[in-house]
Short mmCIF file of all heavy atoms in Angstrom, two decimals:
data_model
loop_
_atom_site.label_atom_id
_atom_site.label_comp_id
_atom_site.label_asym_id
_atom_site.label_seq_id
_atom_site.Cartn_x
_atom_site.Cartn_y
_atom_site.Cartn_z
N MET Z 1 11.12 -19.04 64.44
CA MET Z 1 11.80 -18.19 63.47
C MET Z 1 11.46 -16.74 63.79
O MET Z 1 10.29 -16.35 63.85
CB MET Z 1 11.33 -18.55 62.07
CG MET Z 1 12.05 -17.82 61.00
SD MET Z 1 11.63 -18.60 59.42
CE MET Z 1 12.10 -17.31 58.34
N THR Z 2 12.46 -15.94 63.98
CA THR Z 2 12.24 -14.54 64.30
C THR Z 2 12.39 -13.70 63.05
O THR Z 2 13.11 -14.05 62.13
CB THR Z 2 13.25 -14.07 65.36
OG1 THR Z 2 14.55 -14.23 64.83
CG2 THR Z 2 13.11 -14.87 66.65
N ALA Z 3 11.70 -12.61 63.05
CA ALA Z 3 11.79 -11.69 61.93
C ALA Z 3 13.15 -11.00 61.94
O ALA Z 3 13.70 -10.74 63.00
CB ALA Z 3 10.69 -10.64 62.02
N PRO Z 4 13.73 -10.77 60.76
CA PRO Z 4 15.03 -10.10 60.72
C PRO Z 4 14.90 -8.66 61.22
O PRO Z 4 13.86 -8.03 61.11
CB PRO Z 4 15.42 -10.14 59.25
CG PRO Z 4 14.16 -10.42 58.51
CD PRO Z 4 13.25 -11.12 59.44
N ALA Z 5 15.96 -8.20 61.82
CA ALA Z 5 15.97 -6.83 62.33
C ALA Z 5 15.96 -5.85 61.17
O ALA Z 5 16.26 -6.21 60.02
CB ALA Z 5 17.21 -6.62 63.20
N ILE Z 6 15.59 -4.66 61.46
CA ILE Z 6 15.56 -3.62 60.43
C ILE Z 6 16.97 -3.43 59.86
O ILE Z 6 17.93 -3.32 60.60
CB ILE Z 6 15.02 -2.30 61.02
CG1 ILE Z 6 13.57 -2.49 61.43
CG2 ILE Z 6 15.15 -1.17 60.01
CD1 ILE Z 6 12.97 -1.31 62.14
N GLY Z 7 17.07 -3.43 58.56
CA GLY Z 7 18.36 -3.26 57.91
C GLY Z 7 19.01 -4.59 57.56
O GLY Z 7 20.03 -4.62 56.90
N GLN Z 8 18.45 -5.69 58.04
CA GLN Z 8 18.99 -7.01 57.69
C GLN Z 8 18.02 -7.69 56.73
O GLN Z 8 16.82 -7.46 56.79
CB GLN Z 8 19.15 -7.87 58.93
CG GLN Z 8 20.23 -7.41 59.86
CD GLN Z 8 20.36 -8.34 61.06
OE1 GLN Z 8 19.41 -9.03 61.42
NE2 GLN Z 8 21.53 -8.36 61.65
N SER Z 9 18.55 -8.54 55.91
CA SER Z 9 17.70 -9.31 55.01
C SER Z 9 18.25 -10.71 54.89
O SER Z 9 19.43 -10.96 55.11
CB SER Z 9 17.59 -8.65 53.65
OG SER Z 9 18.87 -8.60 53.05
N ARG Z 10 17.38 -11.63 54.53
CA ARG Z 10 17.79 -13.02 54.35
C ARG Z 10 17.41 -13.44 52.94
O ARG Z 10 16.34 -13.08 52.45
CB ARG Z 10 17.07 -13.92 55.34
CG ARG Z 10 17.46 -13.70 56.76
CD ARG Z 10 16.75 -14.72 57.62
NE ARG Z 10 17.01 -14.40 59.01
CZ ARG Z 10 16.25 -14.75 60.01
NH1 ARG Z 10 15.16 -15.46 59.78
NH2 ARG Z 10 16.54 -14.43 61.24
N PRO Z 11 18.25 -14.24 52.31
CA PRO Z 11 17.87 -14.75 50.99
C PRO Z 11 16.72 -15.74 51.10
O PRO Z 11 16.62 -16.48 52.07
CB PRO Z 11 19.14 -15.44 50.48
CG PRO Z 11 19.95 -15.72 51.70
CD PRO Z 11 19.58 -14.68 52.72
N VAL Z 12 15.85 -15.70 50.13
CA VAL Z 12 14.71 -16.61 50.10
C VAL Z 12 15.02 -17.72 49.12
O VAL Z 12 15.26 -17.45 47.94
CB VAL Z 12 13.43 -15.86 49.67
CG1 VAL Z 12 12.26 -16.82 49.57
CG2 VAL Z 12 13.14 -14.72 50.62
N PRO Z 13 15.04 -18.96 49.57
CA PRO Z 13 15.29 -20.05 48.61
C PRO Z 13 14.12 -20.23 47.66
O PRO Z 13 12.97 -20.25 48.06
CB PRO Z 13 15.47 -21.28 49.50
CG PRO Z 13 14.86 -20.92 50.79
CD PRO Z 13 14.87 -19.43 50.93
N VAL Z 14 14.45 -20.31 46.38
CA VAL Z 14 13.43 -20.49 45.34
C VAL Z 14 13.85 -21.68 44.50
O VAL Z 14 14.98 -21.76 44.04
CB VAL Z 14 13.31 -19.23 44.46
CG1 VAL Z 14 12.27 -19.43 43.39
CG2 VAL Z 14 12.98 -18.02 45.31
N SER Z 15 12.92 -22.60 44.27
CA SER Z 15 13.27 -23.79 43.49
C SER Z 15 13.26 -23.49 42.00
O SER Z 15 12.60 -22.55 41.54
CB SER Z 15 12.30 -24.92 43.81
OG SER Z 15 11.03 -24.61 43.29
N VAL Z 16 13.99 -24.29 41.26
CA VAL Z 16 14.08 -24.11 39.80
C VAL Z 16 12.71 -24.30 39.17
O VAL Z 16 12.34 -23.58 38.24
CB VAL Z 16 15.11 -25.10 39.21
CG1 VAL Z 16 15.09 -25.05 37.69
CG2 VAL Z 16 16.50 -24.77 39.72
N SER Z 17 11.92 -25.26 39.69
CA SER Z 17 10.61 -25.50 39.09
C SER Z 17 9.67 -24.32 39.27
O SER Z 17 8.76 -24.12 38.48
CB SER Z 17 9.99 -26.77 39.67
OG SER Z 17 9.79 -26.61 41.06
N GLU Z 18 9.90 -23.51 40.30
CA GLU Z 18 9.09 -22.30 40.47
C GLU Z 18 9.51 -21.20 39.51
O GLU Z 18 8.69 -20.42 39.04
CB GLU Z 18 9.25 -21.75 41.89
CG GLU Z 18 8.45 -22.44 42.95
CD GLU Z 18 8.66 -21.77 44.29
OE1 GLU Z 18 8.03 -20.74 44.53
OE2 GLU Z 18 9.48 -22.28 45.06
N VAL Z 19 10.81 -21.13 39.23
CA VAL Z 19 11.36 -20.03 38.44
C VAL Z 19 11.31 -20.32 36.95
O VAL Z 19 11.18 -19.40 36.15
CB VAL Z 19 12.81 -19.75 38.90
CG1 VAL Z 19 13.47 -18.72 38.03
CG2 VAL Z 19 12.83 -19.31 40.34
N LEU Z 20 11.38 -21.58 36.58
CA LEU Z 20 11.50 -21.94 35.16
C LEU Z 20 10.39 -21.38 34.28
O LEU Z 20 10.69 -20.82 33.20
CB LEU Z 20 11.60 -23.46 35.02
CG LEU Z 20 12.09 -23.96 33.66
CD1 LEU Z 20 13.48 -23.43 33.36
CD2 LEU Z 20 12.09 -25.47 33.62
N PRO Z 21 9.12 -21.46 34.66
CA PRO Z 21 8.09 -20.88 33.77
C PRO Z 21 8.27 -19.38 33.59
O PRO Z 21 8.06 -18.85 32.48
CB PRO Z 21 6.78 -21.17 34.50
CG PRO Z 21 7.09 -22.30 35.40
CD PRO Z 21 8.52 -22.17 35.77
N TRP Z 22 8.67 -18.67 34.62
CA TRP Z 22 8.91 -17.23 34.50
C TRP Z 22 10.11 -16.94 33.61
O TRP Z 22 10.07 -16.02 32.79
CB TRP Z 22 9.13 -16.60 35.87
CG TRP Z 22 7.88 -16.51 36.66
CD1 TRP Z 22 7.43 -17.38 37.61
CD2 TRP Z 22 6.86 -15.51 36.54
NE1 TRP Z 22 6.23 -16.99 38.08
CE2 TRP Z 22 5.85 -15.83 37.46
CE3 TRP Z 22 6.73 -14.37 35.75
CZ2 TRP Z 22 4.71 -15.06 37.61
CZ3 TRP Z 22 5.58 -13.60 35.90
CH2 TRP Z 22 4.60 -13.95 36.81
N LEU Z 23 11.15 -17.75 33.77
CA LEU Z 23 12.34 -17.57 32.95
C LEU Z 23 12.02 -17.79 31.47
O LEU Z 23 12.39 -16.99 30.61
CB LEU Z 23 13.44 -18.52 33.40
CG LEU Z 23 14.76 -18.42 32.65
CD1 LEU Z 23 15.39 -17.06 32.85
CD2 LEU Z 23 15.70 -19.52 33.09
N VAL Z 24 11.30 -18.86 31.18
CA VAL Z 24 10.92 -19.15 29.79
C VAL Z 24 10.02 -18.03 29.24
O VAL Z 24 10.21 -17.56 28.11
CB VAL Z 24 10.23 -20.52 29.69
CG1 VAL Z 24 9.61 -20.73 28.33
CG2 VAL Z 24 11.22 -21.63 30.01
N GLY Z 25 9.07 -17.58 30.04
CA GLY Z 25 8.18 -16.51 29.61
C GLY Z 25 8.91 -15.21 29.33
O GLY Z 25 8.66 -14.55 28.32
N VAL Z 26 9.83 -14.86 30.19
CA VAL Z 26 10.58 -13.62 30.01
C VAL Z 26 11.46 -13.71 28.77
O VAL Z 26 11.56 -12.75 27.99
CB VAL Z 26 11.41 -13.29 31.27
CG1 VAL Z 26 12.45 -12.23 31.00
CG2 VAL Z 26 10.50 -12.86 32.40
N VAL Z 27 12.09 -14.86 28.55
CA VAL Z 27 12.93 -15.03 27.37
C VAL Z 27 12.08 -14.95 26.10
O VAL Z 27 12.45 -14.26 25.14
CB VAL Z 27 13.71 -16.36 27.44
CG1 VAL Z 27 14.34 -16.70 26.10
CG2 VAL Z 27 14.78 -16.28 28.51
N LEU Z 28 10.93 -15.62 26.08
CA LEU Z 28 10.06 -15.56 24.90
C LEU Z 28 9.55 -14.14 24.65
O LEU Z 28 9.53 -13.66 23.51
CB LEU Z 28 8.89 -16.53 25.05
CG LEU Z 28 9.24 -18.00 24.90
CD1 LEU Z 28 8.01 -18.87 25.15
CD2 LEU Z 28 9.81 -18.28 23.53
N PHE Z 29 9.15 -13.45 25.72
CA PHE Z 29 8.68 -12.08 25.58
C PHE Z 29 9.80 -11.18 25.06
O PHE Z 29 9.58 -10.33 24.20
CB PHE Z 29 8.14 -11.57 26.92
CG PHE Z 29 7.57 -10.20 26.85
CD1 PHE Z 29 6.37 -9.97 26.20
CD2 PHE Z 29 8.23 -9.13 27.45
CE1 PHE Z 29 5.84 -8.69 26.13
CE2 PHE Z 29 7.70 -7.86 27.40
CZ PHE Z 29 6.51 -7.64 26.73
N GLY Z 30 11.01 -11.38 25.57
CA GLY Z 30 12.15 -10.59 25.11
C GLY Z 30 12.46 -10.85 23.65
O GLY Z 30 12.76 -9.92 22.90
N LEU Z 31 12.38 -12.12 23.24
CA LEU Z 31 12.63 -12.43 21.83
C LEU Z 31 11.56 -11.82 20.94
O LEU Z 31 11.86 -11.34 19.84
CB LEU Z 31 12.69 -13.95 21.63
CG LEU Z 31 13.97 -14.61 22.13
CD1 LEU Z 31 13.85 -16.12 22.04
CD2 LEU Z 31 15.18 -14.12 21.36
N LEU Z 32 10.30 -11.84 21.41
CA LEU Z 32 9.23 -11.20 20.63
C LEU Z 32 9.48 -9.70 20.50
O LEU Z 32 9.35 -9.13 19.40
CB LEU Z 32 7.88 -11.43 21.30
CG LEU Z 32 7.14 -12.69 20.91
CD1 LEU Z 32 5.87 -12.83 21.73
CD2 LEU Z 32 6.80 -12.67 19.43
N LEU Z 33 9.85 -9.05 21.60
CA LEU Z 33 10.15 -7.62 21.54
C LEU Z 33 11.32 -7.36 20.59
O LEU Z 33 11.28 -6.44 19.77
CB LEU Z 33 10.51 -7.09 22.93
CG LEU Z 33 9.38 -6.66 23.81
CD1 LEU Z 33 9.92 -6.15 25.15
CD2 LEU Z 33 8.56 -5.57 23.16
N TYR Z 34 12.36 -8.17 20.72
CA TYR Z 34 13.53 -8.03 19.86
C TYR Z 34 13.13 -8.17 18.39
O TYR Z 34 13.55 -7.39 17.54
CB TYR Z 34 14.59 -9.06 20.23
CG TYR Z 34 15.84 -8.97 19.42
CD1 TYR Z 34 16.83 -8.04 19.75
CD2 TYR Z 34 16.05 -9.79 18.32
CE1 TYR Z 34 17.99 -7.95 19.01
CE2 TYR Z 34 17.21 -9.70 17.58
CZ TYR Z 34 18.17 -8.79 17.92
OH TYR Z 34 19.30 -8.69 17.18
N TYR Z 35 12.29 -9.17 18.09
CA TYR Z 35 11.87 -9.39 16.71
C TYR Z 35 11.07 -8.20 16.20
O TYR Z 35 11.36 -7.65 15.13
CB TYR Z 35 11.06 -10.67 16.58
CG TYR Z 35 10.54 -10.85 15.18
CD1 TYR Z 35 11.39 -11.33 14.19
CD2 TYR Z 35 9.25 -10.49 14.85
CE1 TYR Z 35 10.95 -11.46 12.88
CE2 TYR Z 35 8.80 -10.62 13.55
CZ TYR Z 35 9.65 -11.10 12.58
OH TYR Z 35 9.20 -11.21 11.30
N PHE Z 36 10.05 -7.77 16.96
CA PHE Z 36 9.18 -6.72 16.44
C PHE Z 36 9.86 -5.37 16.38
O PHE Z 36 9.57 -4.57 15.50
CB PHE Z 36 7.89 -6.64 17.27
CG PHE Z 36 6.92 -7.72 16.90
CD1 PHE Z 36 6.55 -8.68 17.82
CD2 PHE Z 36 6.38 -7.79 15.63
CE1 PHE Z 36 5.67 -9.69 17.49
CE2 PHE Z 36 5.49 -8.79 15.28
CZ PHE Z 36 5.14 -9.74 16.21
N ILE Z 37 10.80 -5.10 17.29
CA ILE Z 37 11.49 -3.81 17.25
C ILE Z 37 12.62 -3.84 16.23
O ILE Z 37 12.83 -2.88 15.49
CB ILE Z 37 12.02 -3.43 18.65
CG1 ILE Z 37 10.85 -3.11 19.57
CG2 ILE Z 37 12.96 -2.24 18.56
CD1 ILE Z 37 11.24 -2.85 20.99
N GLY Z 38 13.36 -4.92 16.17
CA GLY Z 38 14.58 -4.91 15.38
C GLY Z 38 14.52 -5.57 14.03
O GLY Z 38 15.31 -5.23 13.14
N ILE Z 39 13.64 -6.51 13.82
CA ILE Z 39 13.73 -7.33 12.61
C ILE Z 39 12.48 -7.24 11.74
O ILE Z 39 12.57 -7.29 10.52
CB ILE Z 39 14.01 -8.80 12.99
CG1 ILE Z 39 15.33 -8.88 13.77
CG2 ILE Z 39 14.07 -9.68 11.75
CD1 ILE Z 39 15.60 -10.23 14.36
N ASP Z 40 11.31 -7.11 12.35
CA ASP Z 40 10.05 -7.16 11.60
C ASP Z 40 9.97 -6.02 10.60
O ASP Z 40 9.72 -4.87 10.96
CB ASP Z 40 8.87 -7.09 12.57
CG ASP Z 40 7.56 -7.28 11.85
OD1 ASP Z 40 7.24 -8.42 11.54
OD2 ASP Z 40 6.87 -6.27 11.61
N GLU Z 41 10.24 -6.32 9.35
CA GLU Z 41 10.20 -5.29 8.32
C GLU Z 41 10.23 -5.97 6.96
O GLU Z 41 10.94 -6.96 6.78
CB GLU Z 41 11.40 -4.36 8.46
CG GLU Z 41 11.45 -3.25 7.43
CD GLU Z 41 12.64 -2.32 7.63
OE1 GLU Z 41 13.55 -2.68 8.40
OE2 GLU Z 41 12.66 -1.27 7.01
N GLY Z 42 9.49 -5.48 6.02
CA GLY Z 42 9.54 -5.95 4.64
C GLY Z 42 9.21 -7.43 4.50
O GLY Z 42 8.17 -7.89 4.96
N ALA Z 43 10.13 -8.20 3.90
CA ALA Z 43 9.88 -9.60 3.61
C ALA Z 43 9.78 -10.45 4.87
O ALA Z 43 9.17 -11.51 4.86
CB ALA Z 43 10.98 -10.15 2.71
N THR Z 44 10.40 -10.01 5.98
CA THR Z 44 10.35 -10.80 7.21
C THR Z 44 9.19 -10.40 8.10
O THR Z 44 9.07 -10.91 9.21
CB THR Z 44 11.66 -10.63 8.00
OG1 THR Z 44 11.80 -9.26 8.39
CG2 THR Z 44 12.85 -11.08 7.19
N SER Z 45 8.33 -9.52 7.64
CA SER Z 45 7.24 -9.04 8.48
C SER Z 45 6.18 -10.10 8.70
O SER Z 45 5.77 -10.80 7.77
CB SER Z 45 6.61 -7.80 7.85
OG SER Z 45 5.55 -7.35 8.67
N VAL Z 46 5.74 -10.23 9.93
CA VAL Z 46 4.69 -11.19 10.28
C VAL Z 46 3.36 -10.77 9.66
O VAL Z 46 2.58 -11.60 9.21
CB VAL Z 46 4.55 -11.29 11.81
CG1 VAL Z 46 3.34 -12.10 12.20
CG2 VAL Z 46 5.80 -11.89 12.42
N PHE Z 47 3.10 -9.48 9.61
CA PHE Z 47 1.81 -8.97 9.17
C PHE Z 47 1.83 -8.53 7.71
O PHE Z 47 1.01 -7.71 7.29
CB PHE Z 47 1.35 -7.82 10.05
CG PHE Z 47 1.19 -8.23 11.48
CD1 PHE Z 47 2.10 -7.85 12.44
CD2 PHE Z 47 0.11 -9.02 11.87
CE1 PHE Z 47 1.95 -8.24 13.76
CE2 PHE Z 47 -0.05 -9.42 13.18
CZ PHE Z 47 0.88 -9.03 14.13
N GLY Z 48 2.77 -8.99 6.93
CA GLY Z 48 2.80 -8.66 5.52
C GLY Z 48 3.32 -7.26 5.26
O GLY Z 48 4.20 -6.78 5.98
N ASN Z 49 2.78 -6.62 4.25
CA ASN Z 49 3.28 -5.31 3.83
C ASN Z 49 2.56 -4.14 4.49
O ASN Z 49 2.63 -3.02 4.01
CB ASN Z 49 3.15 -5.16 2.32
CG ASN Z 49 4.42 -5.58 1.62
OD1 ASN Z 49 5.46 -5.72 2.25
ND2 ASN Z 49 4.32 -5.80 0.32
N THR Z 50 1.89 -4.36 5.61
CA THR Z 50 1.10 -3.28 6.20
C THR Z 50 1.96 -2.23 6.86
O THR Z 50 1.55 -1.09 6.98
CB THR Z 50 0.12 -3.84 7.24
OG1 THR Z 50 0.86 -4.50 8.25
CG2 THR Z 50 -0.87 -4.79 6.59
N MET Z 51 3.17 -2.58 7.32
CA MET Z 51 4.09 -1.66 7.98
C MET Z 51 3.53 -1.08 9.27
O MET Z 51 4.06 -0.11 9.80
CB MET Z 51 4.49 -0.50 7.05
CG MET Z 51 5.18 -0.94 5.77
SD MET Z 51 6.80 -1.63 6.05
CE MET Z 51 7.73 -0.17 6.39
N VAL Z 52 2.46 -1.64 9.81
CA VAL Z 52 1.86 -1.11 11.03
C VAL Z 52 2.81 -1.27 12.21
O VAL Z 52 3.07 -0.32 12.95
CB VAL Z 52 0.52 -1.82 11.33
CG1 VAL Z 52 -0.01 -1.42 12.69
CG2 VAL Z 52 -0.48 -1.51 10.25
N VAL Z 53 3.35 -2.47 12.37
CA VAL Z 53 4.27 -2.73 13.48
C VAL Z 53 5.53 -1.89 13.31
O VAL Z 53 6.03 -1.30 14.26
CB VAL Z 53 4.60 -4.23 13.59
CG1 VAL Z 53 5.65 -4.48 14.64
CG2 VAL Z 53 3.35 -5.02 13.88
N HIS Z 54 6.03 -1.83 12.11
CA HIS Z 54 7.25 -1.06 11.84
C HIS Z 54 7.07 0.41 12.23
O HIS Z 54 7.93 0.99 12.88
CB HIS Z 54 7.63 -1.18 10.36
CG HIS Z 54 8.85 -0.39 10.01
ND1 HIS Z 54 10.11 -0.90 10.13
CD2 HIS Z 54 8.98 0.89 9.59
CE1 HIS Z 54 10.99 0.03 9.79
NE2 HIS Z 54 10.33 1.13 9.43
N GLU Z 55 5.97 0.99 11.82
CA GLU Z 55 5.73 2.40 12.14
C GLU Z 55 5.49 2.58 13.64
O GLU Z 55 5.88 3.60 14.20
CB GLU Z 55 4.53 2.92 11.35
CG GLU Z 55 4.78 3.00 9.86
CD GLU Z 55 5.95 3.91 9.49
OE1 GLU Z 55 6.19 4.89 10.21
OE2 GLU Z 55 6.62 3.61 8.50
N PHE Z 56 4.87 1.59 14.28
CA PHE Z 56 4.58 1.70 15.71
C PHE Z 56 5.87 1.70 16.53
O PHE Z 56 5.96 2.41 17.54
CB PHE Z 56 3.66 0.56 16.14
CG PHE Z 56 3.17 0.67 17.55
CD1 PHE Z 56 2.24 1.63 17.90
CD2 PHE Z 56 3.66 -0.17 18.53
CE1 PHE Z 56 1.79 1.75 19.19
CE2 PHE Z 56 3.22 -0.06 19.82
CZ PHE Z 56 2.28 0.90 20.17
N VAL Z 57 6.86 0.91 16.14
CA VAL Z 57 8.10 0.81 16.91
C VAL Z 57 9.25 1.57 16.25
O VAL Z 57 10.40 1.39 16.61
CB VAL Z 57 8.50 -0.67 17.12
CG1 VAL Z 57 7.45 -1.40 17.92
CG2 VAL Z 57 8.78 -1.36 15.81
N HIS Z 58 8.93 2.44 15.30
CA HIS Z 58 9.97 3.08 14.51
C HIS Z 58 10.95 3.89 15.36
O HIS Z 58 12.17 3.79 15.19
CB HIS Z 58 9.31 3.97 13.45
CG HIS Z 58 10.27 4.45 12.42
ND1 HIS Z 58 10.60 5.76 12.27
CD2 HIS Z 58 10.99 3.76 11.50
CE1 HIS Z 58 11.48 5.87 11.30
NE2 HIS Z 58 11.73 4.68 10.82
N ASP Z 59 10.45 4.69 16.27
CA ASP Z 59 11.33 5.50 17.10
C ASP Z 59 12.20 4.63 18.01
O ASP Z 59 13.38 4.92 18.22
CB ASP Z 59 10.53 6.51 17.92
CG ASP Z 59 9.91 7.58 17.05
OD1 ASP Z 59 10.36 7.73 15.89
OD2 ASP Z 59 8.98 8.26 17.52
N ALA Z 60 11.61 3.57 18.55
CA ALA Z 60 12.39 2.66 19.40
C ALA Z 60 13.49 1.99 18.58
O ALA Z 60 14.61 1.80 19.07
CB ALA Z 60 11.47 1.60 20.01
N ARG Z 61 13.18 1.66 17.35
CA ARG Z 61 14.18 1.04 16.48
C ARG Z 61 15.37 1.97 16.27
O ARG Z 61 16.52 1.56 16.41
CB ARG Z 61 13.53 0.71 15.14
CG ARG Z 61 14.48 0.14 14.12
CD ARG Z 61 13.74 -0.18 12.86
NE ARG Z 61 12.81 -1.24 13.14
CZ ARG Z 61 12.55 -2.24 12.32
NH1 ARG Z 61 13.14 -2.29 11.16
NH2 ARG Z 61 11.71 -3.18 12.64
N HIS Z 62 15.12 3.23 15.99
CA HIS Z 62 16.21 4.17 15.80
C HIS Z 62 16.93 4.43 17.11
O HIS Z 62 18.16 4.53 17.14
CB HIS Z 62 15.68 5.49 15.23
CG HIS Z 62 15.45 5.41 13.77
ND1 HIS Z 62 16.43 5.63 12.85
CD2 HIS Z 62 14.34 5.12 13.07
CE1 HIS Z 62 15.95 5.48 11.64
NE2 HIS Z 62 14.67 5.17 11.75
N PHE Z 63 16.20 4.53 18.20
CA PHE Z 63 16.81 4.79 19.50
C PHE Z 63 17.77 3.67 19.89
O PHE Z 63 18.83 3.92 20.46
CB PHE Z 63 15.72 4.95 20.56
CG PHE Z 63 16.25 5.19 21.94
CD1 PHE Z 63 16.78 6.41 22.29
CD2 PHE Z 63 16.22 4.18 22.89
CE1 PHE Z 63 17.29 6.63 23.55
CE2 PHE Z 63 16.70 4.38 24.15
CZ PHE Z 63 17.25 5.61 24.49
N LEU Z 64 17.42 2.42 19.57
CA LEU Z 64 18.25 1.29 19.95
C LEU Z 64 19.33 0.96 18.91
O LEU Z 64 20.10 0.05 19.10
CB LEU Z 64 17.36 0.06 20.18
CG LEU Z 64 16.41 0.20 21.37
CD1 LEU Z 64 15.43 -0.96 21.41
CD2 LEU Z 64 17.18 0.29 22.67
N GLY Z 65 19.34 1.70 17.80
CA GLY Z 65 20.41 1.54 16.83
C GLY Z 65 20.21 0.44 15.82
O GLY Z 65 21.18 0.06 15.14
N PHE Z 66 19.00 -0.07 15.67
CA PHE Z 66 18.77 -1.07 14.64
C PHE Z 66 18.74 -0.37 13.27
O PHE Z 66 18.22 0.74 13.16
CB PHE Z 66 17.43 -1.77 14.86
CG PHE Z 66 17.45 -2.76 15.99
CD1 PHE Z 66 16.95 -2.42 17.23
CD2 PHE Z 66 17.98 -4.02 15.81
CE1 PHE Z 66 16.97 -3.33 18.27
CE2 PHE Z 66 18.01 -4.93 16.84
CZ PHE Z 66 17.51 -4.59 18.08
N PRO Z 67 19.25 -1.02 12.24
CA PRO Z 67 19.18 -0.42 10.91
C PRO Z 67 17.73 -0.36 10.43
O PRO Z 67 16.94 -1.26 10.72
CB PRO Z 67 19.99 -1.38 10.03
CG PRO Z 67 20.02 -2.66 10.77
CD PRO Z 67 19.92 -2.33 12.22
N CYS Z 68 17.40 0.71 9.74
CA CYS Z 68 16.00 0.89 9.35
C CYS Z 68 15.90 1.28 7.89
O CYS Z 68 15.52 0.48 7.06
CB CYS Z 68 15.36 1.95 10.23
SG CYS Z 68 13.62 2.16 9.95
N HIS Z 69 16.24 2.50 7.56
CA HIS Z 69 16.11 2.96 6.18
C HIS Z 69 17.27 3.84 5.83
O HIS Z 69 18.09 4.16 6.62
CB HIS Z 69 14.79 3.73 5.99
CG HIS Z 69 14.51 4.75 7.05
ND1 HIS Z 69 15.00 6.02 7.02
CD2 HIS Z 69 13.83 4.64 8.21
CE1 HIS Z 69 14.60 6.68 8.09
NE2 HIS Z 69 13.91 5.87 8.84
ZN1 LIG P 101 13.62 4.51 10.31
#
């Protein structure tokens, strides 16, 4: 097997079993981010009425267009 010449590339085969844990992890992390930035507030807050998470992500919430106050 020879190395590809400069400027050429070859696709690397990756099996589903190798990718699946990363895919699941990225989806779960994305859902957590989505929840804490967009939804975690008031009665749905994981940490109760402390508003710590809400205040921490407040600017991101407004920047992304989630309703806030
Ligand atoms: Zn706000």
Side-chain angles (χ1 to χ4, degrees):
M1 185 169 162
T2 60
I6 295 174
Q8 291 181 335
S9 62
R10 293 184 187 156
V12 177
V14 179
S15 69
V16 173
S17 62
E18 280 182 81
V19 174
L20 195 60
W22 287 97
L23 181 64
V24 170
V26 166
V27 167
L28 287 176
F29 183 71
L31 286 173
L32 272 176
L33 274 181
Y34 181 82
Y35 176 79
F36 282 116
I37 291 175
I39 301 171
D40 186 78
E41 180 178 13
T44 63
S45 179
V46 171
F47 299 106
N49 267 345
T50 60
M51 300 292 285
V52 172
V53 175
H54 178 87
E55 293 301 328
F56 187 72
V57 298
H58 192 246
D59 291 343
R61 176 178 294 220
H62 280 275
F63 178 74
L64 295 172
F66 285 100
C68 185
H69 47 85

